Amino acid sequence: MTERMGAGPGPDEAAGHVIPFPVRAEPPQIAFNRDELRVIFNLYGRQVAAGEWRDYALDFRRDKAVFSIYRRASEMPLYRIEKDPKLARRQGAYAVIAASGQVLKRGTDLARVIAVLEPAPRAV
């Protein structure tokens, strides 16, 4: 006739009816999709062929995706192309950032944003 007070599993636990604490689902990792990568690599390929850029790095974080562009692999990146969905409604999800940290261009259309990295047309 004695009741158990915290001495072992209760009737629900013994029967396998344990209700776990709710676990927060981790936000999905941010990444560039196939179309975004195509636009970026088209520009990157042209600049490599021109001898301006030599290396790149992709970084996928929880809050943003970053495509870094290098002149040499041992240096700091010349430019970073960032995708930050949290800024999509305010300033645009895409940004081009220089090595100094200055935002060169920001917007919602990736092709228009990275156009700032295109070399100026030469007069013939």
Side-chain angles (χ1 to χ4, degrees):
M1 195 134 96
T2 61
E3 291 188 30
R4 298 191 312 179
M5 302 282 280
D12 286 341
E13 293 174 359
H17 299 293
V18 177
I19 300 172
F21 286 108
V23 178
R24 289 186 187 175
E26 291 190 24
Q29 189 170 7
I30 306 302
F32 292 107
N33 64 35
R34 185 180 301 244
D35 293 330
E36 293 165 340
L37 286 174
R38 180 183 44 78
V39 170
I40 292 170
F41 277 119
N42 282 341
L43 171 64
Y44 179 77
R46 288 192 302 274
Q47 294 294 79
V48 167
E52 295 295 319
W53 299 344
R54 298 218 182 343
D55 202 4
Y56 72 91
L58 287 167
D59 186 18
F60 302 118
R61 304 176 189 166
R62 291 268 178 233
D63 59 338
K64 67 175 83 170
V66 181
F67 185 94
S68 301
I69 300 164
Y70 297 87
R71 188 178 311 265
R72 290 178 199 87
S74 62
E75 295 181 350
M76 298 257 312
L78 291 174
Y79 303 104
R80 292 188 328 259
I81 301 169
E82 295 187 356
K83 175 183 179 181
D84 190 350
K86 285 191 279 182
L87 299 175
R89 290 190 178 173
R90 284 180 257 143
Q91 302 169 351
Y94 305 106
V96 173
I97 302 171
S100 63
Q102 178 185 11
V103 177
L104 300 178
K105 189 154 185 169
R106 184 178 292 279
T108 57
D109 182 20
L110 179 61
R112 294 182 85 191
V113 170
I114 67 171
V116 73
L117 299 177
E118 291 280 351
R122 295 182 181 174
V124 178

